[in-house]
Amino acid sequence: MYFYYNVTMLTSSDFYKKIFSCKVYKISIDAGCTCPNRDGSKAYGGCIFCSERGSGDFASGPGLSVQEQIKAGKALVEKKLKGRSGKREGKYLAYFQNFTSTYGDLNNLVKKYREALACPGVAGLCIATRPDCLGEDILQEIAELSKNHFVQLELGLQTASENSGKFINRCYSNEDYQDAVKRIKKAAPSVHIVSHLIFGLPGEDSSDMMKSLDFVVKTNTAFKDYFGLKITVLYILQNTRLAALYGEGKYKPLSKEEYYSLIKAALERLPEECVLHRLTGDPPKNLLIEPEWTKDKKRVMNEIEKIRELYLLPIKPFNMENLPQIVNLVEDMWSPSSGDRAFRRLYVEYVVRHNISENEYHYELAGKGGLVSAAFFTRKGDACKVDEWFKDKISSYSDELKEVAQAGKIFLDYMDQKTLSYMKEEDIKLSLFVSLKKGAGSVILNRICQLLKKQGWKKLYLWTDCECNWQWYFSHGFTLVEEDNYKPYEKDGPYKTYIFSKKLQD
């Protein structure tokens, strides 16, 4: 039996490496299939974006046997597989990519799957298909293969909008997709399911695309297992119905900036069970009309990787050695106007330490360059032992500066107690939240919210004031609980304070 359930990763490269302990390359194979929305059983013409060869434009071709296609595919990637030294060991996955590779004569298809697995170096199968083309007969054959081999089934959902599905001539429903996932997991629990989504379909906005993503996540996380995801921008290829729409001025492709923004939004929503197989496609240049920016594959891949890097950083317990970096970040914003630099920095360090309670809910996001973001949380009843530390540190300063420090302490305690008064025992407070890199704040907050949700926490609370970017929370799922003025600080006008909450459980 083939097991891989203890694998923990987010990239397909690492996912395969955990399974096979080496580098893995896919070899695209054409099984000679078609699609039910091409041959007339459901419709003609296929999906409006599909080329004459389906999505397998890089396969060797149906004129060759499976063995011959694998041999040709190996020749194309052999140098990459062996690396600069020429000695690196690796394996291959036979990728039945063209059209619907479970649609056809059952015996013929199974024969081709087994022929691929019999080839030297082939460690498993990847089979691209449709949710409505997984009958019990073919599914049982795949289940049997999965008992001794790695098997990956790729479902071309593309969108969860039923209207979009009809427009692109998909010819199956969301219910078909949900049913397929359930039946796969029941018949062959070890099969790795990868879902395909396309961003930029005609008539869809960002909300539609995020709903499609949420639909995939909800369907697959129900099984408490890793699931795969492929996302690509919609390509306009020659001799497709989409190309005709574009020529008539009825479709505008996504710009690079629009697509990257969507990818960031998508990454923020993905759970840790998701394996990222692809965030951009690889269209055949000889057929590509638009988007033009996708032609520079190397540049796009590098830019996508930079975006993805941030979302793949591990969340770790906060390292107190990184505390000075947080103080450096917030020093100018939180420093009092009184005293010398040493006093002001000490005061800011106190504010930071004040938000680190005696619990294990302190997290950081750190990369090769050091700390990227940090977040500290407090439960009802948690203690913080910073006051004695601060009292000792400030003992040598003047009474005037001690009064400044005491005023700050009173404000922090007041807002903490006010926020805690809204909370129940099953709620938790975000005490401090800082980001040293643009975009990192939303990354760590989203991922920790997922963690807190799994731990059973019901609501997340926080307080902030007018000196911080309080509007940010409205765009990240928070609701304003209270807005007030803190009168002791109203020297130059109202000093606004805000308490927010966010539901963690549906």
Side-chain angles (χ1 to χ4, degrees), residues 10 217 221 227 267 269-275 446 450 454:
L10 282 174
V217 170
T221 51
F227 67 95
L267 287 169
R269 305 167 86 96
L270 292 175
E272 60 187 15
E273 297 94 336
C274 181
V275 179
N446 180 68
Q450 292 179 22
K454 288 182 178 180

Side-chain angles (χ1 to χ4, degrees), residues 28-30 50-62 69 95-99 128 237 282 284:
S28 186
I29 296 171
D30 187 341
C50 248
S51 72
E52 294 175 355
R53 294 202 56 192
S55 58
D57 289 285
F58 299 101
S60 298
Q69 290 185 65
Y95 185 16
F96 289 85
Q97 186 178 12
N98 287 55
F99 300 115
L237 302 180
D282 188 14

